[in-house]
């Protein structure tokens, strides 16, 4: 799916995927203000009559090596589920992907108010119902990812994200104006050449999923309805929620203060200040404490899981601290901090999961 202003990128993407024989679908009303909802509905309507599934890629999607093979494996195992091929590193769904990487899962629940649509696959029946029942008239300024999330909730379905992600969000210029306020939105964990075939195991979301809010650079969490598999609301007081699950805030701060006394800690506090580091440490601790995994899965994270944990800082702080994106020294120190916070959170788990 594309707009005439970016059609060249869409045709390059289509040419890179000859085995899928993709069609480029252009905004049907290019003279109007750009609308991802209007254009996406046109793309979903391009479903082949005999197709079992339909994949829509936005024109700034960049497939990872082996995307088609990995996606084929996952579709064969989960033919009835909507599958998102991307989630951005600052989302709550990114935490689900991090947990998935820690536990060896190939799919995890999408838990934000929206369903990531940079690359999305729907079963054909769901795609047809989407086109038949969602009318863009009068709501063309509504993002397609939010409209899709409401549609799936209405029809009683929930989306899964691939772990690792199978496409990257390539480019930071948003046609609908998101880039300035949302900052850089990269994959939480991208598939790499030589990765083994994806696991077909699904990690379902627990009641609380922590993340760093990119809007405020504060520790936050999504509260998830585990019975109905749907997003309820955001939780702003993570320190209180951690205390309710057995980890007092004083314990969290004591561990942070110990790390701040290290060389990396002193450099990080000088660069970013205590407040931001506190929110990042608090979130990383909660990621370990609330992980819906056996404690043994957290003790020695595999390479992919370590890569995904390192994006917690860039994803959450990107709009307020640009140097987390541009300063390699800052990123290196924050990686050390996240490893230390993860270890502290693992040690502080009061009740093993699993």
């Amino acid at each position: 799916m594309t707009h005439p202003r970016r059609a060249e990128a869409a045709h390059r993407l289509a040419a890179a995927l000859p085995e899928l024989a993709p069609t480029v679908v252009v905004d049907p009303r290019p003279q109007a203000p750009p609308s991802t909802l209007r254009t996406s509905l046109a793309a979903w309507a391009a479903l082949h009559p005999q197709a079992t599934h339909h994949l829509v890629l936005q024109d700034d999607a960049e497939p990872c090596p082996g995307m088609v093979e990995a996606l084929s494996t996952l579709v064969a195992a989960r033919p009835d589920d909507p599958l998102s091929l991307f989630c951005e590193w600052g989302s709550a769904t990114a935490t689900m992907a991090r947990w998935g990487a820690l536990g060896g899962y190939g799919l995890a629940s999408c838990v934000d108010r929206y369903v990531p649509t940079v690359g999305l696959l729907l079963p054909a029946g769901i795609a047809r119902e989407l086109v038949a029942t969602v009318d863009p008239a009068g709501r063309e300024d509504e993002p397609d990812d939010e409209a899709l999330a409401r549609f799936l909730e209405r029809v009683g379905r929930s989306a899964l994200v691939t772990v690792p992600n199978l496409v990257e969000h390539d480019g930071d210029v948003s046609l609908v104006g998101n880039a300035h306020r949302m900052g850089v939105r990269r994959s939480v964990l991208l598939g790499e050449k030589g990765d083994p075939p994806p696991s077909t195991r699904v990690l379902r979301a627990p009641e609380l999923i922590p993340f760093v809010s990119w809007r405020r650079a504060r520790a936050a969490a999504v509260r998830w309805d585990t019975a109905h598999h749907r997003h309820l609301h955001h939780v702003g007081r993570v320190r209180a929620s951690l205390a309710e699950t057995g980890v007092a805030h004083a314990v969290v701060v004591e561990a942070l203060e110990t790390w701040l006394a290290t060389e990396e800690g002193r450099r990080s506090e000088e660069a970013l200040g205590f407040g931001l580091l506190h929110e990042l440490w608090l979130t990383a601790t909660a990621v370990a404490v609330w992980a819906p995994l056996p404690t043994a899965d957290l003790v020695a994270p595999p390479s992919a899981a370590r890569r995904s944990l390192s994006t917690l800082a860039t994803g959450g702080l990107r709009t307020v601290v640009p140097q987390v994106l541009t300063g390699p020294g800052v990123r290196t120190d924050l990686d050390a901090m996240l490893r230390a916070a993860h270890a502290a959170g693992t040690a502080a788990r009061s009740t093993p999961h699993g």
Side-chain angles (χ1 to χ4, degrees), residues 271-295:
L272 302 181
F274 179 84
L276 289 177
L277 297 181
H278 170 267
E279 298 303 309
L280 189 58
W281 185 280
L282 185 63
T283 305
T285 300
V287 167
V289 172
W290 294 341
L293 302 166
T295 299

Side-chain angles (χ1 to χ4, degrees), residues 21 29 45 50 53 80 117 130 138 144 185 188 240 287 321 337:
R29 293 180 57 215
Q50 296 177 320
H53 295 80
D80 299 328
T117 53
L130 171 68
D144 65 322
R185 289 160 290 154
V188 57
V287 167
V321 191
M337 176 183 178

